[in-house]
Amino acid sequence: MSALFPVVVHDVMPEGTDCVRLRLGAKPGQGVLPRFAPGAHVDVLTPSGLVRQYSLCGDADDPGFYELCIKREAASRGGSDSLCRTVEKGMELHISPPRNAFALPAAQHYILIAGGIGITPLLSMMARLQRQGADWALYYYTRTPDQAPFRDRLRAAPYASRVHMATSLKQGYPAALSHPEADTAIMLCGPDGFMQAVSSHTIAAGWEPAQIHTEYFRPTEMTSDDDEQAFEVVLARSGRSMTVPPGQSIAGALMAAGIEVSLSCEQGMCGACVVPLLAGEGAHRDMVLTEAEQAGSIALCCSRARTPSLTLDL
Ligand code: FES
């Protein structure tokens, strides 16, 4: 996990019916908050002791504050719930510097698609795109639009005409997805099932996979096939090698051998453990690397191997 630093909670505001928005500022005497680009997230040490990742949903061009939106997850292990229940104005929280695995690519047109709380990283993108005079539109799917997080902000924004709300994909996919366009980026964030449905529809309509940029909030189902095989990991810089047995992650095998590994989410979602892959083919299970990036990089917390050996730039 990246080093955490203290911030002060300036405001705690309800957002929709089951979310809380936090406005965080630098602690007096601690300088300014690190700048971030739209799509970035931070790790937050929650009052429960668990570390959770949240997208920065405020304006990336406002250097004074960070905004996070926390959804209370009844079925969670208590990280988000502890934030929603116990965080108050004036409290100190510890967070990591921003990390971005969902950056806006350069494009002529942007189609933003959110499922529920997946709206958060797209909010900072909208502010930036609007300021740049870009051509963009948001499609926001939420079961209860009248109680959805950020409904009021979106309705009152100068870009409200670019925002389209719907309750479910059963109402149909955005018509814009029916006509693949070159130089258009699709930014997609939401629950797994929603994202898989939108991605499949979009690919079937003829878009290139590289045009679809995604951010998952939960790990997708992992298959066990690759877990059944042990494989070797070779560290190119030291020449050391070790075996990764079935059921253990590469990170776990490295740490067992006394090698330091940078870890945060341990679910393939944050990118903290990604290292260059020099040889061999990874069985990739992360949500942060594009297909092209997976040819030359691997996330150590969740990936395994499709070849008997992987050589890492470590
Ligand atoms: S620790 Fe987050 S992707 Fe591996």
Side-chain angles (χ1 to χ4, degrees), residues 263-266 268-271 273 301:
L263 288 176
S264 181
C265 70
E266 297 186 55
M269 295 190 290
C270 73
C273 64
C301 70

Side-chain angles (χ1 to χ4, degrees), residues 223-234 242-251 277 279-286 294 297-312:
T223 57
S224 60
D225 297 3
D226 303 305
D227 273 340
E228 288 162 16
Q229 304 289 333
F231 59 96
E232 187 189 36
V233 167
V234 179
M242 55 219 62
T243 300
V244 182
Q248 188 177 39
S249 68
I250 302 172
L277 174 62
E281 188 188 345
H284 298 278
R285 293 163 168 181
D286 63 276
Q294 286 180 342
S297 300
I298 191 162
L300 302 180
C301 70
C302 56
S303 305
R304 294 186 59 81
R306 294 201 196 292
T307 44
S309 173
L310 298 177
T311 303
L312 309 177

Side-chain angles (χ1 to χ4, degrees), residues 47-279:
S48 68
L50 297 169
V51 173
R52 290 288 175 262
Q53 285 77 41
Y54 295 101
S55 295
L56 294 169
C57 57
D59 188 343
D61 296 313
D62 170 5
F65 295 96
Y66 288 166
E67 279 191 357
L68 312 177
C69 184
I70 321 294
K71 182 168 191 273
R72 184 178 286 111
E73 300 282 2
S76 77
R77 288 194 289 148
S80 60
D81 190 53
S82 74
L83 275 174
C84 289
R85 276 189 297 103
T86 62
V87 172
E88 294 175 352
K89 187 172 173 173
M91 243 173 102
E92 190 172 297
L93 282 178
H94 286 79
I95 67 171
S96 71
R99 190 183 295 123
N100 201 342
F102 190 40
L104 271 172
Q108 289 292 322
H109 315 281
Y110 296 85
I111 300 172
L112 314 183
I113 307 176
I117 194 66
I119 188 69
T120 50
L122 304 185
L123 285 165
S124 61
M125 293 182 185
M126 284 178 244
R128 172 67 59 83
L129 291 173
Q130 186 68 9
R131 195 165 288 129
Q132 289 176 341
D135 178 33
W136 65 274
L138 168 74
Y139 299 88
Y140 182 13
Y141 288 83
T142 167
R143 215 167 291 141
T144 52
D146 282 346
Q147 299 158 350
F150 301 105
R151 178 202 65 159
D152 295 341
R153 180 187 292 192
L154 293 170
R155 283 189 179 165
Y159 50 70
S161 62
R162 296 181 182 273
V163 174
H164 310 277
M165 296 187 77
T167 56
S168 155
L169 288 172
K170 287 186 190 143
Q171 290 182 288
Y173 290 87
L177 293 185
S178 304
H179 310 287
E181 295 268 6
D183 215 2
T184 297
I186 297 170
M187 309 303 294
L188 173 60
C189 188
D192 287 4
F194 174 84
M195 293 178 62
Q196 279 162 14
V198 175
S199 293
S200 307
H201 174 86
T202 306
I203 299 286
W207 294 81
E208 294 294 328
Q211 290 179 278
I212 308 170
H213 305 264
T214 55
E215 172 111 308
Y216 282 82
F217 281 159
R218 295 196 185 92
T220 51
E221 291 286 306
M222 296 200 176
T223 57
S224 60
D225 297 3
D226 303 305
D227 273 340
E228 288 162 16
Q229 304 289 333
F231 59 96
E232 187 189 36
V233 167
V234 179
L235 309 186
R237 294 187 212 167
S238 62
R240 286 182 69 182
S241 67
M242 55 219 62
T243 300
V244 182
Q248 188 177 39
S249 68
I250 302 172
L254 294 182
M255 289 191 293
I259 294 156
E260 202 173 313
V261 177
S262 175
L263 288 176
S264 181
C265 70
E266 297 186 55
Q267 295 180 315
M269 295 190 290
C270 73
C273 64
V274 171
V275 300
L277 174 62
L278 302 177

